Every structure is written in structure tokens, then in C-alpha cells.
Amino acid sequence: MLVVMERSATPEQVEGVVRVIEQMGLEAHAVPGAQRTAIGITGNEQKVKAALLGSLPGVLEIINAAQPFRLASREFQAENTRVRVGDVTFGDRFVPVIAGPCSVESEYQVLTIAERVKKAGATLFRGGAFKPRTSPYDFQGLGEAGLEILARMREQFGLPVVTEAVDPVNLELVEQYADMIQIGARNMQNFSLLRRAGRSRKPVLLKRGMSATLTELLMAAEYILSEGNRQVVLCERGVRNFADHTRNTLDLSAVPYVHHKSHLPIVVDPSHGTGQRDKVDALSRAAVAVGADGLLVEVHNEPEKALSDGMQSLYMDQFDRLMATARDIARVVDRTM
Ligand code: PEP
Ligand code: MN
């Protein structure tokens, strides 16, 4: 449920409504907009006394949100959320590109890739130090040593670090190094991890689960938002279905759908979305054309030797070309890259 304040409502009136909501045993989330302030209510809806709220000074109307997600909905916040990571903003005209290897493997590997992707125009660097792998026998990541490598990369090249946290305890460590915390597809409904990420001060990159609907993705975001962290970027990374010509089916319709239903930015990951490096370029262009707020692309200095996801990792010169052609598309849709 949502309380929409009048344009002329004073800060004291907003405070008053917040207080009454809290007295009902609920949580109030006030979001000042360009036009007016909206106050989202979370908690047990049974406790809401709508008539009482509607009678308070400064209240324009009470909206019964049509969506199960509230804080993530456009009804709650009409303006796009802008998520800042270092000097980079998601949810603006500029389309940031997050690039790097699937896993951090060595300092040499990270620095080599970082230098090259930065030159090509990537604005954030991503590499996993903790990898949630399908098989327990596969490479699980370098752990904290990998985070230290990422921190040295940032020192040298100035690229903000995006890296994954795999459970709530692990997040304690990851947030000390990361500029943006990734929550992977396999963890999209790890609710204790989502809640812990919601209490972090770092922005979160939330990937869609491989069998998750968009409502489920937005509900997962809601867990983070409802704990107080509003800095959430969603990521479409492909879903499973009957098609077996690609690793996953990249669902580009997620982008306009999310833009319609939510104020959160959404980026596209064509690497996991296809699993095949020769298709990453075309789908990156398509993602930009459809309005994606960023790209997440796996790049490796020696993909054939990669410890994870080598098949979908671009050669560094392929990444140069991707940036050039995606930029052309960005121009057509009035974005910059
Ligand atoms: C990854 O980003 O390397 C990864 C494991 O992706 P996903 O969680 O989308 O499978
Ligand atoms: Mn990967």
C-alpha cells in the first residue's frame, strides 16, 4: 500500500504520516519525488488502517498497489532510480559496461584484462573471487586472495570492482572490497543473503534466477529495498526453456517490462545469456537497442584456458569491436556509451 502526499504537503505532515504508520506496527518508506512524496508501507497489510491514513493532513490518496512488489514499483516511485558506483551511474542516458573474466585467476590475468577493457571503454570491472558452481569439484574461486587482486586492479586502473557474494557471512568480507556486490542467479531467492545485502551500504547487482519470473525477480529486489538499501541494479542473464541451441535464452523483453513496472535500472548479460562467445556481440547490440541500462560481458585474455565460462568469454579484440558497434546502436536510441 502506498500513501501519496499532496504537492503542497510539508515535511512535518510527511513525518506525521510516517509516525502513524509506525504506530500501526508497520514500516514507512518515504520517497520524495519531483512532484510529490510517496510513502510506501511494508509489513503485514492486515494492520493498515487506510481510512485513518486517508484522513491525515497532507495526504492526497491511498493506493492499493496492484503489484505484489511495492518499493520496487513505478507506482511507488515514478522517477528512475539512479545507482552510482564510483563515478558511474546506472539508470541514466549513459550505458555503463561491466567487463572482466568470470573468475579471478591471477593478478596477471586481472591486470591484463582490466587494462584492455578500460581502453575499450568499459567503466566497471567484474571478476568472481567466490564462484557458486554447479559442481563442487569445479574451481570455486581464489577467495580473499582474489578480492585483494581486484583491489590492486582498482588502485592501478581506477575501475570500480563488481564481485559476487555467495552467502550472508561471505558478504561481510566481500563488501569490504567491492564497489558493487553481485548476487548470482543461483542465489536470487537466497532470502537471508538478500536481507543482508539490504543492510549493506554498497550497491547491489541482482541477477535473475534461471527459472525466475520477472515478478519473482522484483520480489527479490524488494527484499533488498525493504531493508533500506535502495541501490539495486537488476540483471537479465537468460532463462531456461526447451531451446538447446544456446546455454540460456536471453529474455530481452525483460528490459521494457521492468522499465514499465519498476523504477530500477536493468542491465543485460549476453555472456551467460547465450553461453557462446560468437553470439555475445549481436545480443549486446540488441540489448542496447531495447533500452538496457548497461551490459555485463565476460572477457578473458586466454579464454581457452579459463577456469570458468571460457566458451562464452570474449577475446580481448572481440570486446574492442563489441564496444564500437554497441556505441553505434546507443547513438540511435539516444544513449551514450
Ligand atoms: C557469473 O556472473 O559469472 C555467474 C555465475 O552468473 P549467473 O549467476 O548469472 O549464472
Ligand atoms: Mn560466469
Side-chain angles (χ1 to χ4, degrees):
M1 206 169 263
L2 214 55
V3 179
V4 181
M5 301 298 290
E6 284 166 356
R7 251 168 201 264
S8 57
T10 64
E12 291 72 33
Q13 289 174 333
V14 174
E15 280 272 307
V17 174
V18 166
R19 222 169 16 247
V20 172
I21 292 169
E22 287 171 353
Q23 280 161 4
M24 292 173 183
L26 296 154
E27 276 155 51
H29 309 260
V31 173
Q35 301 288 332
R36 43 175 60 94
T37 295
I39 306 170
I41 304 175
T42 58
N44 182 353
E45 293 249 303
Q46 312 289 337
K47 294 187 188 168
V48 179
K49 297 189 189 85
L52 169 58
L53 289 174
S55 71
L56 296 174
V59 173
L60 178 69
E61 59 176 336
I62 310 291
I63 297 178
N64 222 332
Q67 314 294 339
F69 43 89
R70 304 174 206 171
L71 307 180
S73 74
R74 271 274 178 219
E75 288 162 321
F76 177 57
Q77 182 185 309
E79 296 91 24
N80 290 342
T81 284
R82 291 185 173 79
V83 177
R84 269 192 89 77
V85 185
D87 295 335
V88 188
T89 304
F90 291 88
D92 237 329
R93 217 174 139 236
F94 181 75
V95 182
V97 178
I98 309 168
C102 182
S103 300
V104 172
E105 298 167 9
S106 71
E107 180 152 343
Y108 173 79
Q109 173 230 25
V110 162
L111 297 182
T112 305
I113 300 169
E115 180 175 22
R116 190 66 184 266
V117 296
K118 182 180 178 178
K119 207 162 143 218
T123 42
L124 301 102
F125 188 87
R126 194 200 71 123
F130 295 92
K131 297 302 299 181
R133 302 303 299 278
T134 300
S135 165
Y137 308 119
D138 286 341
F139 179 60
Q140 305 286 309
L142 293 181
E144 189 164 8
L147 297 175
E148 282 164 4
I149 291 173
L150 289 168
R152 286 198 287 279
M153 180 292 304
R154 175 174 49 210
E155 234 166 76
Q156 189 161 337
F157 295 105
L159 292 172
V161 167
V162 184
T163 195
E164 181 158 356
V166 292
D167 63 52
V169 176
N170 175 245
L171 195 145
E172 305 279 335
L173 177 67
V174 169
E175 70 180 348
Q176 292 170 34
Y177 292 87
D179 298 293
M180 182 178 221
I181 300 164
Q182 175 176 322
I183 294 183
R186 288 158 193 77
N187 269 320
M188 191 204 82
Q189 287 188 318
N190 181 339
F191 300 116
S192 53
L193 177 60
L194 296 171
R195 283 197 192 280
R196 178 60 188 79
R199 293 193 294 273
S200 177
R201 291 174 168 273
K202 297 286 168 76
V204 178
L205 179 68
L206 176 63
K207 298 188 88 175
R208 180 182 183 184
M210 57 188 86
S211 309
T213 65
L214 292 175
T215 300
E216 287 164 341
L217 172 62
L218 288 163
M219 291 307 287
E222 190 80 12
Y223 267 87
I224 303 170
L225 300 174
S226 66
E227 291 290 334
N229 189 348
R230 299 284 169 81
Q231 300 287 96
V232 177
V233 175
L234 305 172
C235 178
E236 162 59 36
R237 49 76 74 205
V239 291
R240 277 208 174 142
N241 61 18
F242 58 85
D244 60 1
H245 63 288
T246 50
R247 181 180 178 187
N248 293 291
T249 297
L250 191 63
D251 179 11
L252 289 177
S253 68
V255 174
Y257 182 90
V258 163
H259 283 161
H260 179 62
K261 297 283 184 187
S262 176
H263 49 85
L264 297 173
I266 177 166
V267 306
V268 170
D269 168 1
S271 302
H272 295 84
T274 61
Q276 299 165 14
R277 83 168 65 85
D278 66 331
K279 298 184 177 57
V280 170
D281 182 30
L283 283 157
S284 295
R285 281 180 270 134
V288 173
V290 84
D293 297 303
L295 296 175
L296 191 166
V297 180
E298 288 188 338
V299 184
H300 202 287
N301 56 328
E302 289 179 296
E304 52 292 315
K305 292 192 188 152
L307 297 181
S308 61
D309 288 348
M311 301 274 282
Q312 67 195 34
S313 299
L314 297 184
Y315 289 94
M316 297 194 292
D317 61 339
Q318 287 181 307
F319 183 72
D320 296 341
R321 289 198 291 279
L322 179 153
M323 285 299 301
T325 55
R327 269 198 191 109
D328 289 341
I329 301 293
R331 211 168 302 125
V332 177
V333 293
D334 199 28
R335 307 284 288 263
T336 58
M337 273 183 90

